[in-house]
Amino acid sequence: MSKKLCVIGLGYIGLPTAVMFANHGLKVHGMDVNEKAVSMIANKQLHIEENGLQERLIQAIDSGNLTVSTSPEKADVFIIAVPSPINPDKTANLEYVRSATRSIVPFVEKGNLVILESTVPPRTVEDIMIPVLKETGLELGKDLFISHSPERVIPGRVFVELVQNDRIVGGINEESSRLTVELYKTFVQGEIHVTDATTAEMVKVIENTYRDVNIAFANELAKISEKIGVNVWEAIKLANHHPRVNIHLPGPGVGGHCIAVDPWFMVELQPNLAKMIHLARTTNDSMPEYTAQKAKNILDAKGIQHPRVAAFGLAFKANIDDMRESPSMEVIHHIKERGLDLSAYDPHIKENKFEQQTQSLDEAVTHSDLIIVLTEHQSFKDLDPATFADKMRTKLVLDAKNCLNRQLWEQAGFEVFTLGDSKNN
Ligand SMILES: NC(=O)C1=CN([C@@H]2O[C@H](COP(=O)(O)OP(=O)(O)OC[C@H]3O[C@@H](n4cnc5c(N)ncnc54)[C@H](O)[C@@H]3O)[C@@H](O)[C@H]2O)C=CC1
Ligand SMILES: CC(=O)N[C@@H]1[C@@H](OP(=O)(O)OP(=O)(O)OC[C@H]2O[C@@H](n3ccc(=O)[nH]c3=O)[C@H](O)[C@@H]2O)O[C@H](C(=O)O)[C@@H](O)[C@@H]1O
């Protein structure tokens, strides 16, 4: 296929997508309003972390198939992958989608296809993109084709899931869908399912809401288990042996800019109906404070004066460098609010983001009384606690993700606590 693409937004989704198309032989121009990101990408440097991205970016730029700048270019297909966050009042902020759509209007020509990949509240294509694209003067659905094809990849496995996941394509008419399917067939090996744009928007929001509600259920079970003397991790594991049960895992909260955000789109659209969805969100949002209080309870029970906590894990989930909406930051806030001293360490976050963060594990644990594990990075699972146990003032660990090898830590002299078991609540 000899189509030229213009990808708007070169973040966690846009950059891998641009690289993927470029490495499948298409000419791709990537644009982003972030000048620093653009100049790094042009120099084959990454401004985000994703497995396999570095070598693929080098290949894409060296082949001449990928160019980047801070401005769109004419193309056959425009793919929009800009942020779609929520405002402080939990309403959808669609300004990035609106301004990205506006930015391509001067470049769009007859026969072009515009695809929105960002996750958006149902009706965004109809109510926000279409009015802007009408400014091109082209007849939509006949001279200009428009689709929503939500991205469903999970960070860390983006290059696997881009290829293997099924894709949803929701065109504003049949021809828009047909052209979009044809394009993604360039690399997608999963099935491509066609629907309308609004249903595609709804499907994507449903998927992330399902996960949020399921995690909230697990978190509620964790709180109940602590009260009744059950280990929730074991109970969930056993329940999941039932052929029709699939409960997610509890933890210190739900982070990232998707699962913790998208359910609010549903609440905003139908506040009187989205009751369970709203409760799930607030249940998950209660977990950071709950986790911080659990740490304080453990320290109080030990009677430790002026306790010091070492927080392990700042990224919102394992093995990535993304701190957006990270529950770790909320846990840290509540720990500090309770007057506890704190240090924080995450080998994936290479720049210090706040005063108490350190790049050294040894520094983080020195004179600490309690390690609190907030992210299940592989590097934490692989730790040999015997190598730093003696640096601790008191050997306590609260494993909020239940990811450590308990036996190894106990052998190193640690008393191990997890969320969702009955010790010290
Ligand atoms: N990161 C993820 O795991 C997934 C994200 N999504 C969705 O994809 C969309 C993009 O997310 P990410 O790539 O993670 O965001 P991101 O923040 O990593 O990247 C977005 C990029 O868009 C740029 N940008 C903002 N406004 C722009 C404009 N008007 N013109 C050009 N560039 C602009 C930003 O500078 C940034 O580099 C969001 O709607 C998100 O919900 C969907 C599936 C997975
Ligand atoms: C339905 C689904 O699986 N959605 C995925 C999700 O990716 P994301 O990295 O945000 O999801 P995640 O692994 O559920 O993590 C979100 C948060 O939830 C927490 N989490 C996750 C699973 C679990 O059992 N318990 C739990 O507490 C994680 O620690 C993290 O803080 O959201 C992505 C997105 O939409 O951006 C989407 O593309 C991904 O496929």
Side-chain angles (χ1 to χ4, degrees):
M1 185 185 298
S2 59
K3 283 197 165 130
K4 179 177 170 187
L5 262 62
C6 180
V7 177
I8 316 294
L10 297 173
Y12 285 91
I13 295 305
L15 184 57
T17 303
V19 161
M20 196 71 174
F21 277 112
N23 290 344
H24 279 78
L26 276 72
K27 291 281 177 207
V28 182
H29 180 73
M31 77 76 68
D32 199 293
V33 290
N34 179 340
E35 283 177 24
K36 190 176 165 209
V38 167
S39 105
M40 286 181 77
I41 297 165
N43 288 308
K44 297 180 252 184
Q45 291 169 345
L46 295 185
H47 70 115
I48 51 161
E49 204 178 71
E50 177 56 43
N51 291 328
L53 180 55
Q54 180 66 75
E55 59 268 29
R56 286 176 172 86
L57 174 64
I58 293 170
Q59 186 192 341
I61 302 253
D62 285 350
S63 69
N65 281 350
L66 178 65
T67 58
V68 289
S69 79
T70 53
S71 167
E73 278 185 3
K74 286 188 178 179
D76 301 295
V77 183
F78 294 83
I79 294 183
I80 299 178
V82 295
S84 49
I86 42 170
N87 297 307
D89 66 355
K90 313 293 188 196
T91 56
N93 175 354
L94 295 169
E95 279 317 304
Y96 299 95
V97 171
R98 199 190 307 269
S99 70
T101 311
R102 274 208 188 103
S103 75
I104 62 171
V105 167
F107 300 89
V108 167
E109 291 178 338
K110 190 172 172 178
N112 285 175
L113 167 67
V114 179
I115 304 171
L116 177 68
E117 284 201 2
S118 303
T119 306
V120 288
R123 294 205 56 81
T124 300
V125 168
E126 291 289 337
D127 296 345
I128 294 196
M129 285 187 75
I130 284 185
V132 174
L133 289 171
K134 276 189 178 156
E135 292 167 22
T136 59
L138 296 168
E139 194 177 331
L140 306 187
K142 184 163 171 282
D143 295 331
L144 179 61
F145 304 99
I146 305 167
S147 297
H148 177 50
S149 184
E151 191 44 75
R152 308 158 98 193
V153 291
I154 199 138
R157 282 174 47 84
V158 166
F159 286 101
V160 176
E161 294 205 352
L162 270 175
V163 174
Q164 289 180 0
N165 284 2
D166 282 11
R167 244 197 129 86
I168 307 293
V169 164
I172 60 160
N173 64 345
E174 256 179 48
E175 186 59 3
S176 297
S177 295
R178 193 190 65 75
L179 290 168
T180 309
V181 170
E182 188 182 285
L183 179 78
Y184 284 111
K185 275 192 176 162
T186 307
F187 59 78
V188 172
Q189 287 171 11
E191 258 186 78
I192 305 182
H193 306 270
V194 172
T195 181
D196 60 86
T198 306
T199 305
E201 293 166 330
M202 182 70 169
V203 169
K204 173 68 198 184
V205 177
I206 287 175
E207 290 165 3
N208 283 353
T209 303
Y210 158 78
R211 199 151 165 84
D212 200 43
V213 171
N214 196 326
I215 297 166
F217 177 52
N219 281 329
E220 192 165 289
L221 294 177
K223 290 177 178 176
I224 294 169
S225 297
E226 288 195 6
K227 293 284 180 216
I228 61 176
V230 167
N231 179 317
V232 75
W233 306 89
E234 188 192 352
I236 288 178
K237 195 169 149 196
L238 294 174
N240 282 347
H241 280 292
H242 186 288
R244 285 174 295 283
V245 174
N246 174 23
I247 307 168
H248 293 359
L249 296 175
V254 168
H257 59 145
C258 303
I259 306 270
V261 167
D262 305 344
W264 289 116
F265 297 164
M266 218 82 105
V267 174
E268 183 184 2
L269 284 173
Q270 289 297 327
N272 294 327
L273 297 176
K275 290 181 185 159
M276 194 173 64
I277 296 170
H278 188 275
L279 181 60
R281 255 316 41 253
T282 49
T283 300
N284 287 335
D285 278 351
S286 75
M287 292 313 291
E289 182 160 16
Y290 185 84
T291 307
Q293 185 58 43
K294 175 135 182 140
K296 174 137 185 358
N297 292 349
I298 293 167
L299 291 161
D300 284 351
K302 296 285 169 198
I304 294 165
Q305 298 299 307
H306 307 297
R308 184 176 161 85
V309 175
F312 276 21
L314 299 171
F316 82 82
K317 60 183 253 179
N319 310 322
I320 59 165
D321 68 341
D322 193 341
M323 283 175 64
R324 284 177 291 182
E325 316 287 329
S326 176
S328 303
M329 297 310 293
E330 285 292 306
V331 176
I332 285 169
H333 161 77
H334 289 294
I335 286 175
K336 289 202 266 188
E337 204 181 49
R338 282 160 175 72
L340 309 180
D341 274 350
L342 179 116
S343 59
Y345 169 69
D346 189 320
H348 288 264
I349 312 292
K350 303 267 160 47
E351 269 173 39
N352 284 359
K353 306 277 183 190
F354 57 101
E355 199 192 321
Q356 294 88 355
Q357 188 187 346
T358 164
Q359 295 296 324
S360 150
L361 181 145
D362 277 0
E363 199 181 310
V365 300
T366 298
H367 304 308
S368 288
D369 299 292
L370 173 87
I371 294 174
I372 181 167
V373 179
L374 299 170
T375 312
E376 73 278 34
H377 290 316
Q378 188 58 43
S379 55
F380 294 154
K381 295 184 191 175
D382 293 341
L383 282 175
D384 179 359
T387 59
F388 55 80
D390 287 347
K391 296 195 164 62
M392 302 278 298
R393 190 167 57 181
T394 320
K395 295 183 194 53
L396 300 170
V397 59
L398 170 55
D399 180 6
K401 298 296 286 189
N402 195 38
C403 65
L404 302 179
N405 179 338
R406 177 183 274 262
Q407 211 184 354
L408 200 64
W409 284 70
E410 284 175 350
Q411 276 165 7
F414 280 87
E415 191 171 350
V416 182
F417 300 83
T418 60
L419 270 191
D421 76 16
S422 55
K423 281 187 192 171
N424 290 74
N425 55 45

